Amino acid sequence: MARRAEPSRHRSRLGAIAGIAGLAGLAVVFVWLCRVRAVEPLGMDQGLFACFGRWAGAEVLPYRDMWDSKPPLALYTYPLAFALFGPHTGAIWLFEALWLAASMAAAFLLGRAAGGRGRGTLAAAFLLALLWSPGWGGYWSRAQAEEFLALPVIAAGWAALRTSRRTGAAFACGLMTGVAGLYKLPALALLAAWPCGWAVGRQPRRFAVLVLLMVAGAAVPLAAAAAWFAAHGAAGELWRAAVVYNRHYAAVIGGGSSWADLFPRFARTLFRAAPVAALAGPFGAALLLVRDPVRGVWLASWQLLSAAAVLGQRQLAGYHFLLLAPPLALGAAHGIAALAEAVRGAEGRRRWLAGAGLAGLALLGISSARAWATSYGLDAEAAAGKLPRVSYLRRLESGPFSPADEEAAAAYVAARTAPEDGILVWGLSPGVYFLSGRHPVTRFPFHHLLLTDAPLSRRFGSYRERRRAFLERLRRDPPAYILVGTGDRNGFEPEDSWRQLLRFPELRRIVFRDYVEERRIGRFRVFARKRDVDGGGPADE
């Protein structure tokens, strides 16, 4: 018996060493990626969130005083990052790294609980690969609501499984799903996913108790957020921004496209950015359905409802797909581990099929690795000092939004204004406010389209009232500089920001009467207030 036990102990020891080596390798890759990605600039959304990080507080309340369409936690996470590490871009990336590490640890624990350390390590690795996939936006998708909500969603998934032993875990499941919904409302679709797993093999009475506890848990964070904004007189603004606006947003962005058009676009975007997980994730869920129906339904419904949440937004932006990252990572981990086990332990045709499957996934992985090398290789060059900052930014992004122009404009304004001065950025670069440290003189630091005659602005309603309030604030707090974007047409505005300015008579009059064009910085036309240029003040109305 001792001789038979020896090989088993040897294999167990080798397996433990391999598991530790896998985790160590993943940690090295993660730290390296964090280091090279630290040079990346703010994207459009991150620049807006950074404005909330710098100014949201006792006097500036989201929605009422500074507007965005994301739910509250997306807007309050950046203030937390700045409170911990200081108001600078590096603080955002450091906070993101710590949050992502916690999310990966949660994925590891959930994967390990489902099938051992190997599955846990694979789940953590896939989560990193999916959340930071260059095919889903690269730096555009960093520190987005969809990335932050991965942690509470994984916690909710863990709690959903624990209900087999503890009925009270359903409350925690709902609570964490509610927290995820306060990052992005479509995440609440998972409230329909978790009960699917509970319905397998359970008595109707216990199933009803679990669902009631889950709903009660989800109601806690949602009610707390509503109560907070109601206490500050902004409950209506919260509802209009997070719910009403997004309904119009989806209708405008999806106008002219049917669901039959959306499904092929969804599939193409998914497979191009994450081909291995796109195949291995559903495969792993299907295997679980056969071997363990409760866990299989749990994972399959998680994947399907997450996909429905992405499709429901209709835009299919890259970062929207991050909602799929947790369930795809867990499914891919299980599928690949099952194939590897079949190669080692199966015989005949089954073994060859498993080997062919692993080989095919490996080839797809090589193609993904090339995309990673191309995208993050540029970051590595910049981090190593081989590329000047401006050259790096120009190569990183050359579309309507230019981080190079944004940083240059922010530096120019900061050097010529006082910290208490305000500015107006009439364009797609809210990061100028944050990077320059000069407060916005508008409630809409990014969504200036809500002040134009663009289709979404008119559909959202109260168009004239928003313009009136904007002009009134502009007169009360005249900006030292007005920066107008050019060549920044997008899916929501048929005209660029310069033409929209010309189509806004009252604003056009203020700019041409009280300001002088001082210079151009890339896509920006920079207007200085005449008082600051020649000693004169703004003309009377």
Side-chain angles (χ1 to χ4, degrees):
M1 289 293 292
R3 291 182 179 178
R4 291 179 184 176
E6 190 64 32
S8 178
R9 284 198 295 269
H10 182 65
R11 284 194 297 269
S12 178
R13 192 178 301 115
L14 288 177
I17 293 172
I20 293 171
L23 284 174
L26 178 59
V28 169
V29 170
F30 175 67
V31 171
W32 180 82
L33 277 172
C34 290
R35 178 179 174 274
V36 301
R37 297 200 73 187
V39 302
E40 290 182 352
L42 297 172
M44 273 197 297
D45 289 347
Q46 293 84 354
L48 174 63
F49 299 151
C51 289
F52 286 91
R54 185 182 287 274
W55 286 293
E59 296 183 359
V60 177
L61 187 75
Y63 312 115
R64 185 192 68 192
D65 305 313
M66 189 178 291
W67 196 92
D68 189 44
S69 59
K70 295 290 194 300
L73 284 183
L75 307 180
Y76 278 112
T77 297
Y78 278 61
L80 175 59
F82 292 158
L84 293 173
F85 305 118
H88 53 86
T89 304
I92 302 170
W93 301 155
L94 176 57
F95 184 87
E96 177 199 33
L98 295 174
W99 192 280
L100 180 53
S103 303
M104 291 168 63
F108 169 79
L109 293 173
L110 188 52
R112 186 181 67 176
R117 181 180 293 167
R119 282 173 171 77
T121 302
L122 283 171
F126 270 109
L127 187 70
L128 172 62
L130 291 169
L131 290 178
W132 276 10
S133 169
W136 283 340
Y139 82 99
W140 284 77
S141 296
R142 296 193 69 178
Q144 287 274 12
E146 288 82 355
E147 181 181 6
F148 288 129
L149 67 78
L151 181 56
V153 160
I154 293 170
W158 175 279
L161 282 181
R162 296 285 292 174
T163 57
S164 60
R165 297 180 180 178
R166 297 183 180 180
T167 302
F171 183 86
C173 174
L175 183 71
M176 288 295 100
T177 307
V179 169
L182 287 180
Y183 274 107
K184 198 69 180 281
L185 286 181
L188 294 177
L190 294 178
L191 292 174
W194 312 127
C196 294
W198 299 339
V200 179
R202 282 188 171 86
Q203 295 296 324
R205 184 175 179 179
R206 187 163 188 270
F207 172 78
V209 170
L210 292 175
V211 172
L212 288 173
L213 284 172
M214 178 193 70
V215 172
V220 170
L222 299 177
W228 168 261
F229 285 96
H232 291 80
E237 293 296 339
L238 167 64
W239 176 261
R240 278 172 53 79
V243 178
V244 178
Y245 171 84
N246 282 290
R247 190 169 67 242
H248 293 309
Y249 176 98
V252 170
I253 198 66
S257 62
S258 66
W259 290 105
D261 298 323
L262 285 176
F263 283 113
R265 284 175 50 207
F266 172 86
R268 286 195 300 270
T269 305
L270 176 61
F271 278 87
R272 286 173 182 171
V276 177
L279 291 174
F283 173 70
L287 282 181
L288 270 179
L289 280 169
V290 174
R291 299 177 180 181
D292 186 342
V294 173
R295 290 178 184 268
V297 171
W298 163 79
L299 184 55
S301 58
W302 187 354
Q303 291 180 358
L304 288 172
L305 268 295
S306 296
V310 176
L311 282 163
Q313 297 175 75
R314 306 196 71 175
Q315 184 182 2
L316 301 184
Y319 59 86
H320 289 168
F321 284 80
L322 302 186
L323 282 165
L324 270 166
L328 278 184
L330 291 164
H334 182 75
I336 288 177
L339 288 175
E341 289 165 0
V343 169
R344 290 197 305 267
E347 296 180 358
R349 184 179 178 182
R350 185 181 172 192
R351 183 176 187 178
W352 285 107
L353 286 173
L358 281 178
L361 292 174
L363 290 174
L364 289 174
I366 291 172
S367 68
S368 295
R370 290 175 179 168
W372 276 65
T374 301
S375 179
Y376 298 132
L378 183 64
D379 290 346
E381 286 186 63
K386 297 178 181 179
L387 274 178
R389 179 70 177 174
V390 174
S391 299
Y392 162 67
L393 294 177
R394 295 290 183 200
R395 287 176 59 184
L396 180 71
E397 181 62 59
S398 59
F401 169 72
S402 170
D405 294 347
E406 183 173 84
E407 292 190 3
Y412 183 85
V413 168
R416 289 162 177 79
T417 55
E420 64 272 15
D421 286 334
I423 62 173
L424 173 64
V425 180
W426 188 261
L428 298 180
S429 291
V432 173
Y433 295 113
F434 167 72
L435 294 171
S436 67
R438 306 301 181 255
H439 70 270
V441 296
T442 170
R443 182 183 167 216
F444 301 98
F446 173 50
H447 294 72
H448 76 285
L449 64 91
L450 291 180
L451 303 170
T452 72
D453 56 4
L456 179 57
S457 179
R458 290 186 175 276
R459 183 184 178 101
F460 187 42
S462 303
Y463 158 67
R464 296 187 183 281
E465 174 60 24
R466 285 196 302 274
R467 289 170 75 123
R468 185 201 61 76
F470 165 70
L471 292 169
E472 181 180 332
R473 182 168 174 178
L474 207 63
R475 295 182 183 110
R476 287 198 319 266
D477 184 16
Y481 277 89
I482 296 178
L483 292 82
V484 184
T486 61
D488 56 2
R489 290 178 56 186
N490 56 78
F492 299 100
E493 288 185 291
E495 305 285 353
D496 71 356
S497 297
W498 173 250
R499 291 186 178 275
Q500 285 289 6
L501 170 68
L502 298 179
R503 292 165 63 96
F504 191 163
E506 297 87 352
L507 179 59
R508 182 185 65 209
R509 189 179 308 120
I510 291 173
V511 172
F512 290 166
R513 183 193 63 205
D514 300 342
Y515 292 80
V516 60
E517 186 168 0
E518 191 168 276
R519 65 170 298 176
R520 297 192 182 188
I521 300 175
R523 293 180 179 270
F524 289 110
R525 300 179 71 157
V526 181
F527 292 84
R529 195 173 166 200
K530 285 183 179 178
R531 183 184 64 186
D532 300 323
V533 174
D534 57 18
D540 293 333
E541 287 295 323

